Amino acid sequence: MEQPCILIIDDEADLRSLLTTTLQKEGFSNIITASSVKEGWNMFEQHSPSIALVDIMLPDGEGYDLCKKMREVSHIPILFLSAKSDEIDKLLGLAIGGDDYITKPFSPKEVAYRVKAQLRRAGYQTQAEAPTTSVGPFTINTDETEVYKAGTVLDLTAKEVGLMACFLRNPNRILSKETLFEQVWGEEFFGADNTLMVHIRRLREKIEDNPSSPIYITTVKGLGYRFKAK
C-alpha cells in the first residue's frame, strides 16, 4: 500500500530530525521537511503531501498564513506545532483550518499518534486493518492510537491512550501502580504516585459520566486500579 507523504515545516533542525526519526519508527517512510514558509510551500506544491505539521513561528512568516494558503487548494490534515499555549492561539489555529494544535514541548510519540489518527480520519490506512479490542462501550484499535466510547473517538493524550490500552487488555483485573507506570511510561516506578494519579484523574474526566464516582476505573486501596467491564 502506498505510503502517505508527511510534510514537517519547522525552523528547528533538531526537532525536524527527532520527529522524522519517531515517525519512521512508527512505520512511515515518505517524510519531507522544510524550515520556512517559502520552502514549506514549495515542498507542498512539489510533493502534494497527505498531511502537514506546521510550526506557527517561522523565520519568514507565520504558519497560520501558510495554512490559509494550503486550505485554498487542499483538504489534507494540518497539525500546528507551537510554543504558544494560550487558548486564543489554539482557537485561531483551528478556526483558520487547522485540524489539531500541539503545544511545545511535546512528546514525539504523541505527535506520531496524532498523525496516525488524522490520517485515519482522512480515510488513509497505512497498514491492513486489524481487529480491534472492545470492552463494554470502549474500543481501541490494534495499533493503540485511538480509543472510542460508544463509537465516538475520545480526545486522549498518548499517555491516556496507553493507560486505556493496559486497562482494556486486562478487564476486571487489578493492575498495580508499578505495572501501569512501567508499561505506559517505560520506566521503573520509583514511587511516582502523583504522576500516575494525575493521569488517572484526567482520564476519568474524559471517560466517566461522573468522574468523582467512577464506574469504569476504580481504585483498589493498597493494590492499584481495576477497569470494570460491563
Side-chain angles (χ1 to χ4, degrees):
M1 183 176 293
E2 183 183 356
Q3 275 275 333
C5 177
I6 302 173
L7 171 59
I8 302 172
I9 306 170
D10 195 290
D11 62 339
E12 296 181 49
D14 289 344
L15 183 57
R16 294 196 305 273
S17 177
L18 179 60
L19 288 175
T20 297
T21 300
T22 302
L23 289 166
Q24 287 173 338
K25 288 180 179 178
E26 293 296 318
F28 297 102
S29 59
N30 190 3
I31 303 169
I32 53 178
T33 65
S35 60
S36 66
V37 170
K38 182 179 180 181
E39 186 182 4
W41 178 249
N42 288 338
M43 297 293 276
F44 174 81
E45 286 192 306
Q46 291 174 26
H47 297 276
S48 299
S50 311
I51 187 170
L53 282 63
V54 184
D55 187 16
I56 291 179
M57 302 299 293
L58 293 165
D60 56 345
E62 288 195 338
Y64 291 141
D65 297 326
L66 185 54
C67 174
K68 291 177 184 177
K69 200 171 179 181
M70 289 179 179
R71 276 289 168 258
E72 292 176 359
V73 296
S74 174
H75 296 290
I76 66 166
I78 298 174
L79 285 69
F80 282 116
L81 309 175
S82 177
K84 295 182 176 182
S85 58
D86 290 345
E87 188 70 15
I88 188 65
D89 294 305
K90 181 176 181 179
L91 292 175
L92 176 59
L94 299 177
I96 64 174
D99 296 280
D100 202 350
Y101 190 103
I102 308 171
T103 303
K104 298 177 182 180
F106 48 67
S107 161
K109 187 80 169 180
E110 181 169 358
V111 174
Y113 284 158
R114 296 202 190 193
V115 166
K116 286 185 178 181
Q118 290 295 337
L119 286 171
R120 186 173 298 105
R121 288 169 188 151
Y124 201 105
Q125 284 300 130
T126 57
Q127 57 186 351
E129 286 287 352
T132 58
T133 299
S134 295
V135 178
F138 299 97
T139 300
I140 186 168
N141 46 353
T142 301
D143 60 1
E144 298 182 354
T145 57
E146 283 189 323
V147 179
Y148 297 79
K149 182 179 181 182
T152 301
V153 66
L154 297 171
D155 184 17
L156 305 181
T157 66
K159 290 293 189 293
E160 291 164 354
V161 170
L163 287 169
M164 284 297 291
C166 289
F167 287 133
L168 296 179
R169 287 195 301 263
N170 301 278
N172 295 317
R173 290 181 56 191
I174 298 173
L175 298 178
S176 68
K177 295 176 181 178
E178 291 82 0
T179 294
L180 288 170
F181 195 85
E182 289 170 9
Q183 289 194 20
V184 177
W185 275 261
E187 304 172 8
E188 290 189 41
F189 185 61
F190 289 125
D193 291 60
N194 191 54
T195 298
L196 183 58
M197 287 172 60
V198 167
H199 281 79
I200 291 289
R201 174 172 54 80
R202 290 175 178 169
L203 181 56
R204 281 172 171 160
E205 290 172 354
K206 296 179 180 181
I207 74 166
E208 302 279 1
D209 295 328
N210 182 3
S212 60
S213 182
I215 61 173
Y216 296 112
I217 302 176
T218 60
T219 301
V220 183
K221 192 172 182 179
L223 295 176
Y225 298 94
R226 175 194 282 130
F227 191 88
K228 289 190 175 181
K230 292 201 165 190

